[in-house]
């Protein structure tokens, strides 16, 4: 089931943050949205998740408008991991993961056997079983990131959209989270990430979507999009590429 | 100790509080004579039932508001409903003759009007900060208007009645008061009890909650409706009884965990037990009259606030 943005424009208050975005995202692949600060990356991700009603155009999932799907139906299909990793009460890690099953719960009823099984599977997949009974506030940043990822996995969404899932993680935990997201894509779900680290983007992305000033500059397979020329045009930086890989490192600023 | 066992202990406390409320008074456990039976059926029983429902509603409402606003200091006073209902009641007492039905109706109208204003002020911007700001505005406005009404009151005797009434109490509340308030207290409670899973999702923030299928607007509508009906009816029937909604979820959080929905039932039970026991103790205080329940709760509540402050300084979570 492709996730398709068609002539998508988004305004927040008076400000237009996305203009005529046309893009087709495919399941089973990791798509990374890249762009400088203020390019509209987070807004695009929220619009793809059906959390922002577009000013014009639409986001289609299997031919249906995401923003007009019934809320529970949308929640079952599209998982969204916000950039804000704050959890407002010191609930246990297991309780956080259980929230991934909210779209399947009914009021006044406890979790079903399937809910329990999915929660357990998500804890195992993120290696957080040992943390399950600890308070979320008592975990380290890396542990918390894994628990929050497990929360989305517990819902088994067709699409997993994550906004800066690597923010505030050290390199080892960044690679750890990326590997797990890669696993989600290999299992058949679509994975869409907002990242700002070019090297990590090059490492994980099958497809890249380059945004600048709310417009798509380039989109497609990583090798074709993440070129030094494109990066220079969008980020105003010179990059060095590592021989034999798509990895690139910014090495200097281009004056305009 | 398991959750079930803890709930059992709380239920036992409610039953004890209820029994105490039936038995306690200047006339200890009236039974036998006709007059005693009348005291029991027409005064003690309605008073105990009203205390039970009101306490449960206030405890539940505190837990819901703290979860909804993600703020451990939230209680019904924060959204302005208590002060607005009190303003309605004071207006009725001073200017429309103080029939208890009139006071009840005026307080209910003011409470629901305040909640409608709250919805209008937070329309399309349902985040917690806007909600608290709007509630604070309503609360201050109602407080100022109440003071203004008292200042220009034509009848000084009525003012004494108002001051007495503003510090709520269950004293002399009969079957008629119970019958008027109960449907609103129960209806408000049902509306509030429905938002449990949504409050859990809100621990992850509003965007994540919406992505989980939670409709924030609907949750806010239920919270506002439940608070308006329940707390409005509570103030309308008994006057302002504060601090129950603040204290109870705090005391129970270490015992039942931080998950908002897991706190709703315990908070309802805890609120009922607290109000029933406190009201009974008010009656047993020495002297000719009773201590007003609102005064007693404030005397418990203020030191409790201080304790919270000190604990909050000591660690991140309270």
């Amino acid at each position: 089931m492709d996730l398709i943005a068609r002539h998508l424009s988004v305004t927040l208050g008076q400000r237009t943050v996305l203009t005529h975005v046309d893009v087709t995202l495919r399941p089973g692949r990791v798509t990374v949205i890249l762009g400088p600060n203020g390019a509209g990356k987070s807004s695009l991700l929220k619009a793809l998740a059906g959390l922002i009603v577009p000013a014009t155009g639409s986001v289609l999932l299997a031919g249906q408008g995401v923003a007009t799907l019934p809320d529970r139906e949308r929640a079952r299909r599209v998982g969204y991991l916000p950039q804000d990793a704050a959890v407002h009460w010191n609930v246990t890690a297991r309780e956080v993961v259980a929230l991934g099953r909210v779209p399947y719960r009914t009021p006044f009823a406890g979790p079903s056997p399937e809910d329990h099984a999915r929660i357990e599977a998500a804890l195992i997949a993120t290696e957080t079983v040992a943390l399950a009974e600890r308070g979320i506030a008592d975990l380290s940043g890396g542990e918390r990131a894994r628990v929050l990822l497990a929360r989305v996995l517990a819902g088994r969404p067709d699409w997993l959209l994550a906004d800066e899932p690597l923010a505030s993680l050290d390199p080892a935990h960044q690679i750890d989270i990326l590997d797990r997201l890669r696993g989600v894509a290999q299992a058949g779900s679509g994975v869409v990430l907002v990242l700002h680290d070019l090297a990590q983007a090059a490492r994980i992305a099958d497809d890249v979507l380059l945004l600048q000033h709310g417009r798509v500059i380039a989109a497609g397979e990583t090798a074709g999009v993440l070129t030094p020329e494109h990066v220079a045009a969008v980020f105003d930086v010179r990059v060095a590429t590592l021989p034999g890989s798509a990895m690139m490192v910014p090495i200097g600023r281009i004056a305009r | 100790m398991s959750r079930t066992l803890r709930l059992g202990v709380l239920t036992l406390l409610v039953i004890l509080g209820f029994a105490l409320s039936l038995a306690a008074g200047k006339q200890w456990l009236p039974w036998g004579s006709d007059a005693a039976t009348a005291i029991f059926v027409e005064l003690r029983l309605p008073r105990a039932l009203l205390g039970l429902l009101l306490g449960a509603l206030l405890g539940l409402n505190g837990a819901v508001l703290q979860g909804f606003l993600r703020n451990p200091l939230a209680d019904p006073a924060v959204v302005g409903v208590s002060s607005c209902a009190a303003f309605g009641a004071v207006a009725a007492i001073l200017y429309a003759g103080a029939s208890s039905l009139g006071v009840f109706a005026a307080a209910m109208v003011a409470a629901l009007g305040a909640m409608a204003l709250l919805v209008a002020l937070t329309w399309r911007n349902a985040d917690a900060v806007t909600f608290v700001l709007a509630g604070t505005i309503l609360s201050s406005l109602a407080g100022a208007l109440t003071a203004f009404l008292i200042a220009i009151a034509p009848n000084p005797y009525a003012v004494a009645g108002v001051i007495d009434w503003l510090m709520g109490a269950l004293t002399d509340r009969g079957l008629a008061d119970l019958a008027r308030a109960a449907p609103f207290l129960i209806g408000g409670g049902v509306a509030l009890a429905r938002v449990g899973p949504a409050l859990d999702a809100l621990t992850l923030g509003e965007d994540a909650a919406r992505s989980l299928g939670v409709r924030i607007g609907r949750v806010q509508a239920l919270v506002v409706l439940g608070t308006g009906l329940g707390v409005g009816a509570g103030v309308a029937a008994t006057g302002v009884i504060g601090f129950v909604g603040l204290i109870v979820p705090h005391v129970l959080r270490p015992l039942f965990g931080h998950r908002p929905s897991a706190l709703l039932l315990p908070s309802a039970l805890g609120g009922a037990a607290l109000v029933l026991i406190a009201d009974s103790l008010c009656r047993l205080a020495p002297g000719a009259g009773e201590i007003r329940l609102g005064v007693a709760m404030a005397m418990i509540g203020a030191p409790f606030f201080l304790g919270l402050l000190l604990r909050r300084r000591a660690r991140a979570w309270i």
Side-chain angles (χ1 to χ4, degrees):
Chain A
M1 266 188 305
D2 289 351
L3 188 61
I4 302 167
R6 191 172 285 165
H7 306 304
L8 180 73
S9 294
V10 168
T11 54
L12 296 179
Q14 302 292 315
R15 206 159 50 90
T16 301
V17 291
L18 289 174
T19 313
H20 297 306
V21 172
D22 275 289
V23 65
T24 300
L25 307 173
R26 286 173 290 165
R29 297 174 71 84
V30 177
T31 304
V32 172
I33 303 174
L34 275 175
N37 293 335
K41 303 185 294 288
S42 292
S43 298
L44 177 56
L45 200 71
K46 280 189 195 178
L48 289 171
L51 300 178
I52 301 180
V53 178
T56 62
S58 55
V59 175
L60 301 174
L61 178 61
Q64 272 186 295
V66 175
T68 55
L69 277 176
D71 295 277
R72 281 166 72 90
E73 178 67 22
R74 189 204 65 228
R76 291 177 184 192
R77 293 206 201 163
V78 184
Y80 171 75
L81 193 57
Q83 186 175 355
D84 180 10
V87 178
H88 289 273
W89 298 102
N90 194 13
V91 292
T92 65
R94 183 187 297 279
E95 286 173 325
V96 170
V97 177
L99 291 176
R101 300 304 295 176
V102 165
Y104 294 88
R105 299 281 299 276
T106 46
F108 305 117
S112 68
E114 192 192 345
D115 290 333
H116 283 302
R118 297 288 194 220
I119 292 163
E120 211 54 48
L123 288 168
I124 292 167
T126 51
E127 289 171 54
T128 47
V129 176
L131 313 174
E133 309 311 326
R134 285 173 57 190
I136 191 85
D138 309 324
L139 303 181
S140 73
E143 291 168 337
R144 192 183 307 188
R146 293 214 305 271
V147 170
L148 290 170
L149 179 62
R151 189 274 292 174
V152 192
L153 296 182
R156 292 275 174 108
D158 301 330
W159 284 88
L160 195 167
L161 315 184
D163 198 348
E164 301 271 15
L166 310 181
S168 75
L169 295 183
D170 59 36
H173 285 110
Q174 290 189 1
I175 290 171
D176 181 49
I177 292 285
L178 286 183
D179 286 347
R180 291 173 205 282
L181 290 167
R182 161 61 56 201
V184 172
Q186 272 165 356
S189 296
V191 175
V192 186
L193 309 174
V194 168
L195 296 180
H196 64 259
D197 185 326
L198 290 171
Q200 296 296 18
R203 189 173 173 278
I204 179 107
D206 297 312
D207 298 313
V208 170
L209 187 66
L210 264 186
L211 276 185
Q212 189 184 32
H213 304 314
R215 292 174 189 275
V216 177
I217 301 301
E221 295 201 8
T222 307
V225 175
L226 212 52
T227 61
E229 295 74 29
H230 277 143
V231 170
V234 170
F235 288 96
D236 293 343
V237 291
R238 284 179 286 122
V239 292
T241 49
L242 299 183
S245 82
M247 297 286 271
M248 52 173 60
V249 183
I251 52 169
R253 180 131 198 182
I254 299 171
R256 293 261 161 187
Chain B
M1 195 158 54
S2 74
R3 178 181 162 86
T4 318
L5 193 57
R6 288 172 192 198
L7 280 174
V9 171
L10 274 180
T11 311
L12 203 65
L13 269 178
V14 174
I15 293 169
L16 278 175
F18 195 81
L20 188 63
S21 181
L22 290 178
K26 304 293 174 211
Q27 178 76 29
W28 192 261
L29 194 63
W31 202 250
S33 69
D34 285 350
T37 308
I39 291 176
F40 191 81
V41 174
E42 286 169 28
L43 291 174
R44 295 271 169 91
L45 190 61
R47 181 173 182 167
L49 285 171
L50 190 58
L52 177 79
L53 289 178
L54 176 69
L57 187 281
L58 290 176
L60 173 65
N61 185 247
V64 166
L65 284 175
Q66 289 178 11
F68 178 65
L69 299 173
R70 283 153 280 154
N71 186 333
L73 298 181
D75 79 338
V78 168
V79 292
V81 61
S82 314
S83 4
C84 288
F87 165 70
V90 169
I93 293 171
L94 289 177
Y95 297 96
S99 85
S100 71
L101 179 61
V103 171
F104 184 88
M108 251 352 261
V109 167
L112 292 175
M115 292 297 97
L117 258 176
L118 189 70
V119 169
L121 287 171
T122 55
W123 189 248
R124 291 194 178 283
N125 196 357
D127 66 278
V129 175
T130 314
F131 202 78
V132 171
L133 262 178
T136 308
I137 293 168
L138 283 176
S139 186
S140 316
L141 186 65
L145 287 174
T146 305
F148 178 72
L149 284 187
I150 292 174
I152 62 162
N155 178 353
Y157 297 107
V159 171
V162 163
I163 306 276
D164 204 30
W165 188 89
L166 277 176
M167 276 296 166
L170 293 168
T171 315
D172 300 333
R173 297 300 187 270
L175 274 172
D177 299 287
L178 176 67
R180 276 198 287 271
F184 296 106
L185 289 170
I186 292 169
V190 169
L192 292 172
R194 289 191 64 84
V195 301
L199 297 184
D200 291 348
L202 272 170
T203 57
L204 298 174
E206 281 172 25
D207 280 335
R210 288 199 309 129
S211 81
L212 286 167
V214 171
R215 280 175 285 168
I216 308 283
R218 177 178 172 274
V219 176
Q220 185 182 330
L222 281 171
V223 170
V224 167
L225 185 73
T227 305
L229 288 176
V231 179
V235 175
T238 66
V240 180
I241 296 171
F243 292 105
V244 178
L246 177 71
I247 294 174
V248 170
H250 270 288
V251 171
L252 297 176
R253 205 165 271 129
L255 297 172
F256 288 88
H258 283 225
R259 187 160 60 91
S261 73
L263 264 179
L264 299 189
L265 179 59
S267 295
L269 292 172
L274 177 62
V275 166
L276 285 170
I277 292 169
D279 179 50
S280 306
L281 295 180
C282 283
R283 270 178 266 166
L284 293 176
E290 298 182 3
I291 299 177
R292 307 286 295 175
L293 180 57
V295 176
M297 290 311 304
M299 280 162 59
I300 301 172
F304 186 83
F305 242 130
L306 184 66
L308 269 187
L309 191 78
L310 296 176
R311 274 177 75 190
R312 197 180 170 80
R313 286 198 333 189
R315 51 198 190 119
W317 292 98
I318 55 174

